[in-house]
Amino acid sequence: MSTHKRNLSRRRLLAASAVGVAGTGAAVVAGSSLLSSASAATFGHTDDGSNFVINTGASLVFKVSKKTGDLTSLVYRGKEYEGYGGRHSHVESGLGASTVTVRQSGSTILVKVVHGAITQWYAARSGQNNVYLWTNKADASFTATRFLVRLKPGMFPNEGPDSWIEASDKIIEAGDVWKRGDGTTHSKHYSGKRVIDYDHIGFTTGSAGLWIVRSNHEKASGGPFYRSLLRHSNDKGAGLYEILHYNEAQTEPERFGLQGPYVLAFTDGGAPSPSLAAARLDTSWVDGLGITGWVGAAGRGKVAGVGIKGMDAKYPYTVGFANAAAQYWAKAASGTGAFSCKGMLPGTYTLTVYKGELAVHTASVTVKAGGATALNSITVTGDPSTAKTVWRLGDWDGTPGEFKNAKLMTYAHPSDGRAAKWTGNVTIGSGSQAASADFPAYMWSGVNDGILVYFKLTAAQAAAAHTLRIGVTDAFAGGRPRVTVNDWVSAVPAASVQPSTRSLTTGSYRGNNRTINYSVPSSAWKTDTSQYNVLKINIVSGSSGAAFLSPGTSFDCLDLLA
């Protein structure tokens, strides 16, 4: 092998080592052995008067302010990436004056930042182009929990639904939703992803990449299907987020305690190493660092289920675990429904089986430290799709996915030029679901109130009373559907418990699923079976608002029981 090829091979080994995570002491030694003596010698920390300067011994040098605990510099391969608008990277919007200390423990450098109820940690490991982070929040004195990485403008391509151009785009809502001249809408809220859908989020030029590999979110809130801002980019800079608790579209109370590690990772342009995501489960190297609130593998347990009976093969199933202290989830295997969730804190959890995003079964399970809880087959008992119907629009899966504009709404504003008209009535053929795509995913009192659904009944069907079911996934400003069937008018249903913030315009239909039952008497139906019955849906509320910020709701499914 030529000298050039040997050096190239060695550099590739070094690059692979730099983005990996050592899960055991042996792996740390093996990874470190790939470093040249010159590179290894640079690993360490210094004090420049204002910052602790940490050299990872690879291609990354970063700085932490001694005054505020802000991450003030990220120099990768000699290029500065951090900071825009005179602001740096930090917890929340910056902690302000804090107590900041640094120490080295073998091949790890640990920075601790203390400010009131929040303690933040940064860690560097010898030979890795990563910054490991933990956040411990003790109470609600801060309204949100996030880490925001602020990046200089022009470092990465400014593209995607979460990118905008302040110099030319027009603000259309709340100072954070923008519309371009071509009619497309853009916002930091438009990630289009649920927590369960991603391990990492970031930017790449093709030759350099910067990513946040998320934590396990065990002390976060909102469950596996929660959507929140993940990144943004504009002509003034870019940002990457690790959202640990956010009030927008939130369905759960806040949990407190240590969250992490989440990882800020630089790469040669590709995605971060899969082993970084595995760090959520294999972090034995953290055990001796003295991070307050840290619970290692020995203090955690596992739940494993042999399967789920009664699954609908058209849908993925997820098993969630939640209590006041922690949350977890695991994907169920298609076909069998087998699942396994490890690394759980001890305690008693509510186990929820989700068909798509709809809870169809709940139970209780207890996790013990160092133990494994085995569960027998679970039989789904709460799937509303098993009921016999006269007709059905959509399906019971906890999402508006089958309805008009549903998929676009996870990464665009309802006024987006790509959206089909929100108005328009629907005609159902007997037993057909073909009309689902014509029914709007969302309705607002100020946009498309009074949608009509036409359907026919047989003589036998018209002679009987029926239950009309409407499933909603979320609501804004107390909006809920009141129905009229021909001349019969329903009572006004009670408002459901839903997030109090914008949801339907910020990329999320995820709220608290609710089914509203309307008992329609036989006297309401048309006696002439050649005539269409007319179902009218109005959004009612005790609150007011205009256009897409008027009271509204998102739909899961509508059906008429046989």
Side-chain angles (χ1 to χ4, degrees):
M1 181 183 293
S2 69
T3 300
H4 171 74
K5 288 183 178 180
R6 283 196 300 270
N7 289 339
L8 179 61
S9 177
R10 186 175 184 84
R11 285 197 298 270
R12 286 173 176 167
L13 285 172
L14 282 167
S17 173
V19 298
V21 172
T24 65
V28 173
V29 173
S32 299
S33 68
L34 296 174
L35 299 170
S36 68
S37 59
S39 176
T42 63
F43 176 72
H45 62 88
T46 58
D47 184 336
D48 70 2
S50 299
N51 307 278
F52 292 124
V53 183
I54 292 90
N55 191 321
T56 64
S59 299
L60 173 65
V61 178
F62 65 93
K63 297 181 180 181
V64 179
S65 168
K66 294 167 57 180
K67 181 178 179 181
T68 65
D70 286 2
L71 192 60
T72 59
S73 175
L74 290 165
V75 174
Y76 178 61
R77 294 180 178 171
K79 182 183 290 187
E80 178 66 77
Y81 284 81
E82 200 281 329
Y84 68 79
R87 306 186 71 183
H88 291 295
S89 305
H90 40 223
V91 182
E92 313 298 354
S93 296
L95 296 178
S98 305
T99 301
V100 186
T101 56
V102 64
R103 63 183 173 86
Q104 183 169 340
S105 177
S107 59
T108 302
I109 296 170
L110 186 67
V111 178
K112 180 180 181 181
V113 181
V114 179
H115 178 97
I118 287 186
T119 302
Q120 178 72 22
W121 283 269
Y122 305 90
R125 308 208 69 212
S126 180
Q128 297 183 7
N129 291 315
N130 307 319
V131 183
Y132 297 87
L133 304 98
W134 294 261
T135 304
N136 194 330
K137 182 177 176 182
D139 59 38
S141 53
F142 286 83
T143 58
T145 310
R146 68 175 186 178
F147 194 93
L148 171 57
V149 182
R150 300 181 187 272
L151 304 174
K152 294 172 62 177
M155 305 304 294
F156 295 101
N158 179 30
E159 57 190 21
D162 46 19
S163 301
W164 64 94
I165 305 169
E166 291 194 16
S168 57
D169 293 349
K170 179 182 178 182
I171 294 176
I172 61 170
E173 183 180 297
D176 60 7
V177 181
W178 304 72
K179 181 169 282 189
R180 196 154 291 170
D182 62 5
T184 61
T185 53
H186 302 260
S187 175
K188 64 183 179 181
H189 297 287
Y190 297 154
S191 70
K193 293 180 181 294
R194 309 170 302 174
V195 177
I196 196 174
D197 294 331
Y198 72 96
D199 282 323
H200 60 270
I201 192 77
F203 300 99
T204 181
T205 64
S207 59
L210 176 56
W211 316 88
I212 280 186
V213 182
R214 71 166 175 83
S215 68
N216 68 356
H217 278 223
E218 70 181 3
K219 294 288 187 178
S221 48
F225 313 122
Y226 185 63
R227 298 174 187 267
S228 189
L229 55 161
L230 301 179
R231 65 173 208 171
H232 78 262
S233 179
N234 57 42
D235 41 335
K236 294 185 177 180
L240 287 176
Y241 300 85
E242 168 72 338
I243 297 295
L244 301 170
H245 177 78
Y246 202 60
N247 291 322
E248 196 82 58
Q250 187 55 251
T251 59
E252 288 189 306
E254 184 172 9
R255 295 179 173 93
F256 300 106
L258 184 70
Q259 303 204 55
Y262 49 103
V263 187
L264 182 60
F266 281 89
T267 73
D268 58 2
S273 167
S275 61
L276 283 176
R280 295 199 295 267
L281 301 177
D282 188 0
T283 49
S284 56
W285 62 273
V286 183
D287 289 351
L289 295 180
I291 293 177
T292 305
W294 175 255
V295 179
R300 296 172 177 269
K302 174 183 177 180
V303 174
V306 297
I308 301 172
K309 296 179 179 179
M311 294 194 305
D312 185 332
K314 298 191 299 292
Y315 293 95
Y317 281 71
T318 303
V319 182
F321 305 86
N323 60 24
Q327 62 170 7
Y328 306 94
W329 52 83
K331 294 181 180 180
S334 60
T336 66
F339 61 91
S340 177
C341 187
K342 60 182 180 179
M344 300 173 67
L345 293 173
T348 298
Y349 294 84
T350 296
L351 178 156
T352 303
V353 177
Y354 296 95
K355 169 196 173 186
E357 296 183 15
L358 183 67
V360 292
H361 181 86
T362 60
S364 180
V365 63
T366 299
V367 176
K368 296 181 179 180
T373 301
L375 300 178
N376 295 324
S377 290
I378 295 172
T379 300
V380 170
T381 56
D383 186 351
S385 296
T386 59
K388 294 182 178 180
T389 63
V390 177
W391 54 259
R392 177 172 289 159
L393 289 173
D395 200 2
W396 296 96
D397 65 352
T399 84
E402 299 86 5
F403 295 136
K404 181 167 60 178
N405 292 326
K407 292 179 173 59
L408 178 65
M409 289 303 95
T410 63
Y411 58 89
H413 190 269
S415 67
D416 194 284
R418 294 165 291 180
K421 289 184 178 179
W422 288 101
T423 55
N425 301 323
V426 178
T427 300
I428 298 175
S430 179
S432 172
Q433 293 193 36
S436 296
D438 297 325
F439 189 83
Y442 301 168
M443 283 181 63
W444 297 266
S445 62
V447 176
N448 56 346
D449 195 38
I451 293 287
L452 304 179
V453 179
Y454 297 91
F455 60 95
K456 292 181 179 181
L457 297 177
T458 66
Q461 290 167 343
H466 295 274
T467 296
L468 172 71
R469 302 188 299 184
I470 297 181
V472 300
T473 70
D474 196 5
F476 177 70
R480 63 268 199 194
R482 184 182 192 181
V483 302
T484 300
V485 179
N486 300 317
D487 296 325
W488 177 84
V489 182
S490 76
V492 176
S496 56
V497 177
Q498 299 292 355
S500 59
T501 56
R502 291 176 298 154
S503 297
L504 306 184
T505 60
T506 56
S508 179
Y509 55 76
R510 178 79 268 125
N512 294 309
N513 285 99
R514 179 194 179 195
T515 301
I516 307 169
N517 295 299
Y518 306 85
S519 298
V520 186
S522 59
S523 59
W525 311 119
K526 297 282 188 180
T527 56
D528 184 346
T529 58
S530 67
Q531 293 183 325
Y532 280 102
N533 291 274
V534 183
L535 165 66
K536 183 179 182 180
I537 303 172
N538 291 102
I539 301 301
V540 296
S541 173
S543 301
S544 61
F548 295 108
L549 291 180
S550 63
T553 191
S554 53
F555 295 98
D556 178 10
C557 186
L558 297 84
D559 60 19
L560 187 67
L561 297 183

